[in-house]
Amino acid sequence: RSIIKDKPILWMMGKTGSGKGTQCSKLHARYGFTHLSSGELMRHEILANTDRSNFLSEIMKSGKPVPNLIVIEVIARAIVALAKESTGFVIDGYPLDEQQASEFVDEFGSPNLVLYLECNNSVLAGRLNDRSNFDDTAEAIANRFEVFTEHTKAVTQKYQAIGIKADKDKEEVFSEIEKLLQ
């Protein structure tokens, strides 16, 4: 934890399409927090043409979770690389399960705040149809919804995530987040 001690850590959780990336970008713009998206970091790994790029690409296209060892390594590498210049971290889409949460806490300490963006599946599906990530196929989306329900919901409970209704306007959602940061 010494590498990022005294820097706030926020976990932004919610199903795919709930607005995590949008709200993280707003937190970055307003407070300067470093936005780390597990999905974006994995997409960058794929584009890096490493030995595991094809493996990651196939997993992500299916909507199945990337193995914890890889995700934790990639997130930790990003935190270490950005720690000096960062005012704090807002981590989007991570941790996915209790093992990831536990390993993160062991390495970097507990988050200062955990937010859970709640949104119904029909709103989420509409939002996901509007963006064009290679891994947003109907099957992948269904798998990610299932993984969230089966694994991530337990993390939101264990770390006392504060639920925010995310099916309203993004500015209203951000206003609620700002109130929690005061």
Side-chain angles (χ1 to χ4, degrees):
R1 170 84 196 211
S2 63
I3 192 166
I4 58 171
K5 73 175 184 198
D6 304 325
K7 296 183 185 199
I9 301 169
L10 284 77
W11 288 350
M12 185 72 67
M13 304 180 83
K15 289 182 182 173
T16 188
S18 62
K20 297 181 303 290
T22 297
Q23 297 305 321
C24 289
S25 293
K26 289 180 162 300
L27 286 166
H28 170 73
R30 179 72 49 90
Y31 299 101
F33 295 152
T34 301
H35 172 199
L36 294 178
S37 162
S38 59
E40 285 303 311
L41 289 170
M42 291 304 122
R43 288 181 198 98
H44 286 294
E45 281 287 305
I46 290 168
L47 295 174
N49 272 331
T50 64
D51 291 340
R52 62 183 173 200
S53 293
N54 288 338
F55 170 73
L56 288 174
S57 179
E58 291 307 310
I59 288 175
M60 289 178 69
K61 281 180 191 171
S62 74
K64 292 187 171 67
V66 173
N68 282 348
L69 192 65
I70 295 172
V71 179
I72 290 162
E73 175 205 322
V74 170
I75 294 273
R77 189 174 52 205
I79 289 173
V80 168
L82 299 166
K84 281 187 180 148
E85 71 244 19
S86 181
T87 59
F89 290 91
V90 58
I91 303 177
D92 162 0
Y94 178 92
L96 189 63
D97 59 33
E98 290 187 76
Q99 180 188 348
Q100 286 182 359
S102 176
E103 291 188 27
F104 183 94
V105 168
D106 288 348
E107 183 76 23
F108 299 108
S110 294
N112 300 82
L113 182 64
V114 179
L115 301 175
Y116 169 35
L117 300 183
E118 301 170 336
C119 203
N120 73 52
N121 287 357
S122 61
V123 170
L124 296 173
R127 289 178 180 176
L128 292 169
N129 286 333
D130 291 341
R131 70 181 200 188
S132 55
N133 287 344
F134 78 90
D135 54 339
D136 281 344
T137 63
E139 178 190 358
I141 290 166
N143 284 338
R144 291 199 302 262
F145 284 176
E146 186 178 324
V147 166
F148 183 87
T149 302
E150 287 181 16
H151 300 284
T152 311
K153 199 119 175 147
V155 177
T156 67
Q157 292 165 348
K158 180 175 181 177
Y159 290 90
Q160 301 164 352
I162 298 170
I164 295 173
K165 296 285 181 210
D167 49 3
K168 49 191 164 197
D169 178 73
K170 61 188 167 194
E171 297 305 327
E172 288 179 73
V173 174
F174 189 64
S175 178
E176 282 189 46
I177 292 171
E178 282 196 301
K179 287 176 191 162
L180 293 170
L181 290 175
Q182 302 306 324

